Amino acid sequence: MHVPLKKPYDLSVNHAPKRKDILSHDQKKLAIANALRYFPSHQHTELAQDFLEELNTYGRIYMYRYRPDATIRARPIDEYPGKSEQAKAIMLMIQNNLDYAVAQHPHELITYGGNGAVFQNWIQYRLTMKYLAEMTDEQTLVMYSGHPMGLFPSHKNAPRVVVTNGMMIPNYSKPDDWEKFNALGVTQYGQMTAGSYMYIGPQGIVHGTTITVLNAVRRIAKNREDIKGKLFVTAGLGGMSGAQPKAGNIAGVISVTAEVNPKAAHMRHSQGWVDEIIENISELVDRVKRAQEVKEVVSVAYLGNVVEVWETFFESGVFVDIGSDQTSLHNPWAGGYYPVGLTFEEANEMMANQPEKFNTLVQESLRRHAAAVNKHTKKGTYFFDYGNAFLLEASRAGADVKGTDGNEFKYPSYIQDILGPMCFDFGFGPFRWVCASGKPEDLKKTDEIACQVLEEMMEISPKEIQQQMADNIQWIKGAQENKLVVGSQARILYADAEGRMKIASAFNQAIANRLIGPVILGRDHHDVSGTDSPYRETSNIYDGSKFTADMAIQNVIGDAFRGATWVSIHNGGGVGWGEVINGGFGMLLDGSEAADRNLRMMLHWDVNNGIARRNWARNENAIYAIKRAMEQEPNLRVTMPNLVDPETIQNLFN
Ligand SMILES: NC(=O)c1ccc[n+]([C@@H]2O[C@H](COP(=O)([O-])OP(=O)(O)OC[C@H]3O[C@@H](n4cnc5c(N)ncnc54)[C@H](O)[C@@H]3O)[C@@H](O)[C@H]2O)c1
């Protein structure tokens, strides 16, 4: 391949902040040598200079000049070249993750979460797409943190792609290790669905956020009528956080979402995800008071720092019913959290050039942030941690968020209070699918099929899961009207093992009957079994095992030999490098008998693995759910816990 011309730095696109200049002189040499491995030696002199410039200017080597000129977006599966339909499905999903309308920093190959990468650089993208276009169903492509290691012989029912992202020797998994080894070009942070090609835009998260906000509101409102006029305050209009205002509207509340990055706020506004943007804090106070008076359902973006919102609302007597935060605190030092008192530009400049001063300001800001929230909660605000490591980082900064009575923190995480006991323990989680034909009418048909399956199931489902079923039926009925699609024709809903299997099987049948084209199944890693994350997905595990990662590792291995089309296992998704192990899968449904067998076998394991573990941790709802699963499937035999009378233990210490 010839060396393409250098490309001008395009300022109309949202770019990743400059990364920390962490490498020593010798390490920079190594980073450049590593990058040059992809190219023949006669091109090295020209490219070496360019890569050094990128490393010095951006802190990473993205190989910008290799960014394709053609538009990157999910195309109908038939338009992809190749010998394997499964590989084509994976190409479609990779391109969706890099679509400029979907990705947060598309030129840096970052899909969401500030540093959630699909690849480290553009040559990895090109090489991977080439392998996928050439491979057969007798081969498996092996991906090491964005780097395609190559095609290895396998067999038809093996995964076509196996992805690992950021897998480190545990002692080398601190945030600065990511900075260093990512800059060297030997690893990457894949977030959850970025490096696993399963991101479907903010819709993926609107549903989870709607369920969370709705159930948070249910905790404070007695009935539907009572919900009107309640105020929800939060921050972040980025990749996932951008779903908050939409979820607020669907849940029927007033929401205020602070966002420091004007590009992010305007993008969500232009996409219709947030109703209004306000730049002046006193105007915001007036607007919210008006909305509270007339119990309006409205979502407002505040273009500024969230700390100002919490402080000013307190001073101005604005009562906040529900509060949370979705700044990217899993990545506090590199653009995830902007400290109050600096402009967006000042902060970006300081984090690159004076990182220590920047870290001090982040911690000061977190202390102020938590202090303001505490004042509100004393007056009755219900505050929960949204799994972004807010409480963890605030406590590390010395903020007053420590808990009492054995609770680590003053406030619960949304998993402890809401999603864990109400969803994950029963097996309900973020099942999703993409219509590979790219046709909106296919998506509509799949919505109808899913709705019909859920309605039939609801008629005979036990009272324990009626609310979850009802919420999901309501969601799927409103999904078309809510115009949730950005990028591929995708849909998400929360379903349990039985629901996922029944819906997927009905899709496969519809494909066989030629009613719809092929469908790609997947899920967020943020699920029942896929993720071991002690402050998030597994924060409602109380037997001490929440710091282990057996479940996530078992899950990905089990999915791989039960027919997944691709599998992935990552370090750090959601809450940060070193804090979590998370995995996922993708599966192409093509209407075949093999697909039907695979979906039943794999989805059953993919959900019940986690229920079994949650059951062993003595979670009441999981004990119920796994007993039910064993009644339904005689080949499932799970070790059950014997419950101990707390007095028996207490007596030992009296
Ligand atoms: N939505 C969910 O269901 C969900 C679930 C679990 C965890 N999370 C977590 O939420 C966080 C956000 O995810 P994302 O994909 O939206 O990340 P993101 O980086 O795309 O968005 C975060 C946004 O917060 C803004 N921001 C940072 N500091 C701010 C401040 N002080 N005031 C106002 N705005 C500020 C940033 O400009 C950015 O646009 C992540 O840590 C993620 O893991 C989200």
Side-chain angles (χ1 to χ4, degrees):
M1 191 178 22
H2 70 282
V3 177
L5 291 176
K6 272 180 88 163
K7 289 190 162 56
Y9 191 74
D10 183 350
L11 286 172
S12 66
V13 174
N14 191 353
H15 284 282
K18 183 185 171 187
R19 306 298 187 193
K20 208 170 179 177
D21 187 5
I22 197 168
L23 300 185
S24 67
H25 187 70
D26 282 346
Q27 287 166 341
K28 281 190 178 169
K29 287 186 188 163
L30 182 58
I32 290 164
N34 285 347
L36 291 173
R37 280 186 278 197
Y38 291 100
F39 307 94
S41 53
H42 68 272
Q43 298 177 345
H44 285 183
T45 313
E46 183 180 357
L47 290 176
Q49 188 58 39
D50 193 23
F51 294 166
L52 177 63
E53 260 173 56
E54 284 195 11
L55 193 56
N56 286 335
T57 316
Y58 310 111
R60 296 292 185 273
I61 302 172
Y62 297 113
M63 308 188 186
Y64 284 124
R65 64 164 81 205
Y66 285 92
R67 182 168 55 78
D69 292 321
T71 313
I72 299 184
R73 65 177 171 84
R75 289 161 203 284
I77 191 164
D78 298 344
E79 290 183 18
Y80 287 94
K83 302 173 192 141
S84 159
E85 288 306 302
Q86 298 190 342
K88 289 182 196 177
I90 298 169
M91 285 195 263
L92 183 162
M93 296 300 282
I94 288 177
Q95 291 210 312
N96 191 54
N97 271 22
L98 293 171
D99 181 335
Y100 287 15
V102 172
Q104 185 186 17
H105 306 305
H107 288 195
E108 287 78 31
L109 302 113
I110 301 295
T111 301
Y112 72 98
N115 52 357
V118 191
F119 298 98
Q120 297 174 57
N121 57 54
W122 285 102
I123 205 71
Q124 292 179 342
Y125 165 78
R126 286 181 179 239
L127 199 51
T128 302
M129 294 300 274
K130 189 169 182 301
Y131 277 130
L132 288 168
E134 289 170 357
M135 73 185 291
T136 70
D137 284 344
E138 304 287 338
Q139 289 172 304
T140 292
L141 175 63
V142 175
M143 299 295 300
Y144 278 39
S145 284
H147 169 67
M149 192 56 81
L151 294 172
F152 290 75
S154 63
H155 57 88
K156 276 200 176 58
N157 219 38
R160 289 287 71 77
V161 176
V162 174
V163 178
T164 53
N165 276 311
M167 287 290 117
M168 301 300 288
I169 302 299
N171 261 343
Y172 299 85
S173 207
K174 303 273 181 303
D176 264 358
D177 293 320
W178 168 71
E179 297 276 4
K180 179 173 147 190
F181 293 106
N182 187 224
L184 278 177
V186 293
T187 191
Q188 73 175 6
Y189 177 62
Q191 257 287 8
M192 291 199 152
T193 53
S196 62
Y197 329 138
M198 197 36 83
Y199 189 67
I200 55 166
Q203 181 197 167
I205 226 72
V206 175
H207 181 249
T209 313
T210 305
I211 296 230
T212 306
V213 176
L214 198 64
N215 285 308
V217 180
R218 280 186 185 134
R219 290 182 72 91
I220 58 162
K222 282 178 238 47
N223 52 47
R224 190 80 204 153
E225 191 47 37
D226 212 24
I227 290 176
K228 286 197 186 138
K230 299 279 185 222
L231 172 63
F232 171 46
V233 169
T234 184
L237 286 172
M240 292 199 277
S241 48
Q244 296 178 102
K246 189 115 196 168
N249 282 8
I250 297 172
V253 296
I254 305 161
S255 68
V256 170
T257 311
E259 171 55 65
V260 287
N261 181 348
K263 274 196 180 123
H266 287 292
M267 179 162 138
R268 293 295 174 225
H269 187 238
S270 68
Q271 288 172 339
W273 291 79
V274 62
D275 299 329
E276 297 171 19
I277 300 187
I278 293 182
E279 299 191 24
N280 177 294
I281 192 83
S282 23
E283 222 180 277
L284 179 72
V285 170
D286 293 346
R287 180 68 186 92
V288 166
K289 284 187 172 169
R290 267 204 327 274
Q292 284 180 315
E293 265 165 38
V294 297
K295 300 192 170 181
E296 188 182 352
V297 177
V298 66
S299 53
V300 183
Y302 171 63
L303 205 45
N305 202 291
V306 68
V307 180
E308 291 168 48
V309 177
W310 283 109
E311 290 181 347
T312 313
F313 278 11
F314 188 79
E315 286 152 18
S316 318
V318 174
F319 180 72
V320 179
D321 296 279
I322 304 165
S324 196
D325 188 87
Q326 274 199 49
T327 55
S328 275
L329 271 160
H330 68 272
N331 175 31
W333 321 123
Y337 182 86
Y338 285 79
V340 63
L342 294 181
T343 64
F344 183 58
E345 291 74 22
E346 284 166 350
N348 282 336
E349 143 83 32
M350 190 185 282
M351 78 181 78
N353 299 323
Q354 296 169 279
E356 272 162 30
K357 187 165 177 203
F358 182 75
N359 295 1
T360 310
L361 290 189
V362 165
Q363 294 208 317
E364 265 174 39
S365 183
L366 279 170
R367 289 194 290 274
R368 245 174 92 175
H369 192 156
V373 168
N374 290 344
K375 284 188 190 165
H376 282 270
T377 56
K378 276 206 186 102
K379 294 188 118 189
T381 301
Y382 171 63
F383 186 88
F384 61 94
D385 184 285
Y386 213 128
N388 60 339
F390 171 73
L391 291 174
L392 184 66
E393 287 304 333
S395 72
R396 285 174 179 166
D400 175 17
V401 292
K402 289 256 153 56
T404 47
D405 301 333
N407 294 320
E408 201 157 355
F409 299 119
K410 237 185 179 113
Y411 307 113
S413 89
Y414 71 124
I415 303 279
Q416 281 175 298
D417 255 23
I418 301 168
L419 282 190
M422 297 173 72
C423 294
F424 291 170
D425 287 354
F426 286 114
F428 282 85
F431 180 60
R432 61 180 58 173
W433 65 91
V434 169
C435 293
S437 65
K439 292 182 187 159
E441 40 301 6
D442 273 14
L443 185 61
K444 191 163 179 287
K445 283 183 206 149
T446 55
D447 282 348
E448 286 160 8
I449 294 170
C451 189
Q452 197 186 338
V453 170
L454 289 181
E455 282 181 332
E456 282 166 18
M457 283 178 65
M458 172 118 179
E459 278 176 25
I460 47 166
S461 63
K463 68 175 187 334
E464 284 81 355
I465 58 170
Q466 288 273 331
Q467 179 77 66
Q468 291 88 330
M469 300 292 289
D471 283 350
N472 280 289
I473 291 170
Q474 190 195 334
W475 161 264
I476 199 79
K477 283 192 167 157
Q480 290 280 332
E481 195 186 313
N482 280 317
K483 295 195 173 39
L484 297 154
V485 169
V486 179
S488 61
Q489 292 296 321
R491 184 67 73 228
I492 175 157
L493 58 75
Y494 265 45
D496 62 1
E498 190 186 3
R500 299 185 206 204
M501 288 188 287
K502 285 192 166 154
I503 293 170
S505 184
F507 288 169
N508 200 47
Q509 192 56 52
I511 300 163
N513 295 343
R514 299 188 179 276
L515 299 174
I516 51 173
V519 169
I520 301 161
L521 295 184
R523 59 164 173 75
D524 193 0
H525 294 192
H526 175 54
D527 196 5
V528 182
S529 318
T531 294
D532 276 301
S533 182
Y535 297 101
R536 223 172 78 170
E537 285 77 356
T538 39
S539 59
N540 73 322
I541 301 272
Y542 301 104
D543 69 351
S545 73
K546 68 178 179 176
F547 296 99
T548 65
D550 296 303
M551 178 179 75
I553 297 293
Q554 285 283 355
N555 212 63
V556 76
I557 295 172
D559 283 356
F561 68 75
R562 288 183 175 85
T565 306
W566 74 99
V567 289
S568 60
I569 186 83
H570 300 190
N571 170 10
V575 285
W577 189 255
E579 306 284 0
V580 42
I581 297 294
N582 51 286
F585 74 88
M587 178 181 264
L588 177 69
L589 299 183
D590 57 5
S592 64
E593 273 176 33
D596 198 60
R597 236 183 359 260
N598 285 342
L599 76 86
R600 286 170 199 282
M601 212 184 327
M602 201 212 71
L603 292 174
H604 185 268
W605 158 255
D606 190 64
V607 179
N608 280 303
N609 168 38
I611 304 182
R613 186 268 178 109
R614 289 164 189 275
N615 144 80
W616 184 239
R618 297 180 284 256
N619 289 12
E620 200 185 324
N621 293 344
I623 295 177
Y624 166 84
I626 206 71
K627 282 186 183 160
R628 190 162 169 255
M630 284 192 279
E631 281 161 21
Q632 290 169 331
E633 169 54 71
N635 275 341
L636 177 69
R637 286 182 58 195
V638 170
T639 312
M640 300 299 290
N642 291 299
L643 302 185
V644 188
D645 182 346
E647 261 187 41
T648 312
I649 311 280
Q650 194 49 46
N651 289 342
L652 288 174
F653 296 91
N654 285 340

